Amino acid sequence: MQLFDTHFHYSGEASPAEYRSKILTEALGAGVFPSTLELNAVGGDFLESLRAREFAHAVPDCIFSAGVHPGSAEGFSGDISEFEIFRNDPLLAAVGELGLDYYYTPETAEKQRKVFAGFLKLALEWNKPAIVHLRDQGDDAAFRDGMALLEEFVSSGGRFEVHCFTGSWEWAEKILELGGYIGITGMVTFRKAGNIRETAHRLPADRLLLETDSPYLAPIPYRGKENHPGYLGLIAAHVAEIRGVSISELCQIACSNSRRFFGVEGRELQTLKKEDFYG
Ligand SMILES: [Zn+2]
């Protein structure tokens, strides 16, 4: 089974090689034996983008993304030109994460919109897809504001994913109409996440991405504990069951979607062997 975690955050506490070993060990512990492991390390601010780049260059089959998360928008200087150092990196796959979060930080909405719009422009200039975070307090405000910016982005030729999808099926339909991809996290295993399960069920197969968004949002039965990409197989198993397909079929589709989205089709991957796993 192939795995592609399209969204995780690297804290830098363990070295990249140690962290990757931990991922593989934990995957085994969770009953999953991946044949290949692809990762996208995501930056939510400048320093985390630097760390994501370091991680991607240190381990096999990893790419990275650079951006400013809406929760970090307020602390951002507004000087997007400092991100120019990432522009020509061969492992830079996307701009992100970016977006609007009116759930945790509604008081900074105006600055969030400004930063989001600035980075969408950058994604167009760099010809990279955008990884977008949209979350609100159930009033659809972040979604409406975000979709208005994304419509403009798409009409200028931009491509995007709404990662860690938490909205209704109506949101999902609008994202799909704009050509967007949808990222499903371990939240799909949470008891109250009927809306996410509905989307995971109805989503066209060619728009589905899988992600852990670790270290947050560990899937059941690890909810509340530290998350990591080793749990991706649990999310995949859950989504496969919802969609009535085998886990290997689901993973194959999700991996090929991920490679298409990030423009990394055809690269040669490391086939994992028993000795790659500590477990
Ligand atoms: Zn994230």
Side-chain angles (χ1 to χ4, degrees):
M1 162 173 45
Q2 313 169 344
L3 289 180
F4 196 140
D5 188 346
T6 59
H7 194 119
F8 85 102
H9 298 269
Y10 170 57
S11 72
E13 276 165 42
S15 74
E18 283 165 2
Y19 193 70
R20 187 167 182 275
S21 290
K22 175 184 154 156
I23 292 169
L24 293 174
T25 305
E26 298 273 352
L28 269 194
V32 175
F33 186 176
S35 54
T36 56
L37 177 68
E38 293 169 84
L39 300 167
N40 176 36
V42 174
D45 58 29
F46 183 71
L47 284 178
E48 198 185 43
S49 300
L50 283 175
R51 269 208 307 277
R53 178 175 72 172
E54 180 206 332
F55 187 91
H57 281 274
V59 302
D61 306 334
C62 185
I63 50 179
F64 79 101
S65 312
V68 171
H69 184 282
S72 301
E74 189 61 14
F76 176 57
S77 67
D79 182 11
I80 290 181
S81 69
E82 67 181 1
F83 281 76
E84 279 297 320
I85 63 160
F86 300 115
R87 181 181 193 142
N88 294 316
D89 193 295
L91 296 180
L92 178 77
V95 175
E97 61 184 294
L98 320 167
L100 302 175
D101 194 314
Y102 297 174
Y103 182 79
Y104 287 112
T105 46
E107 68 285 358
T108 64
E110 206 183 315
K111 177 90 185 270
Q112 290 182 40
R113 286 192 293 272
K114 227 177 117 193
V115 172
F116 184 28
F119 275 95
L120 287 177
K121 227 177 111 207
L122 195 74
L124 289 174
E125 271 175 45
W126 290 4
N127 193 24
K128 296 287 179 199
I131 298 174
V132 178
H133 169 115
L134 291 178
R135 187 144 188 214
D136 56 34
Q137 297 181 329
D139 57 2
D140 291 346
F143 180 69
R144 275 197 308 274
D145 290 353
M147 288 304 278
L149 288 166
L150 285 169
E151 267 168 38
E152 218 183 298
F153 176 65
V154 167
S155 69
S156 306
R159 299 189 303 116
F160 73 99
E161 165 209 8
V162 173
H163 105 95
C164 191
F165 183 78
T166 55
S168 62
W169 172 246
E170 286 69 34
W171 281 37
E173 278 184 306
K174 296 211 172 80
I175 291 164
L176 295 166
E177 273 167 31
L178 276 187
Y181 287 66
I182 291 181
I184 302 289
T185 63
M187 283 176 93
V188 74
T189 67
F190 296 177
R191 192 171 56 84
K192 286 186 181 155
N195 57 323
I196 301 176
R197 277 189 287 280
E198 184 186 0
T199 296
H201 178 68
R202 298 176 72 170
L203 192 56
D206 62 352
R207 303 292 187 84
L208 171 82
L209 301 178
L210 296 176
E211 57 170 306
T212 58
D213 201 13
S214 52
Y216 320 105
L217 303 173
I220 302 275
Y222 301 103
R223 187 170 183 179
K225 302 225 169 71
E226 190 202 329
N227 195 11
H228 51 72
Y231 290 155
L232 191 72
L234 297 173
I235 300 168
H238 202 90
V239 174
E241 197 188 321
I242 290 170
R243 293 179 70 91
V245 297
S246 71
I247 179 168
S248 62
E249 188 184 337
L250 181 91
C251 286
Q252 196 186 356
I253 289 167
C255 281
S256 87
N257 294 343
S258 311
R259 293 173 196 139
R260 186 186 333 113
F261 180 71
F262 292 119
V264 293
E265 301 109 314
R267 62 179 174 162
E268 207 170 307
L269 301 175
Q270 185 191 83
T271 304
L272 298 169
K273 298 181 211 70
K274 283 272 186 309
E275 52 268 31
D276 294 315
F277 297 84
Y278 280 175

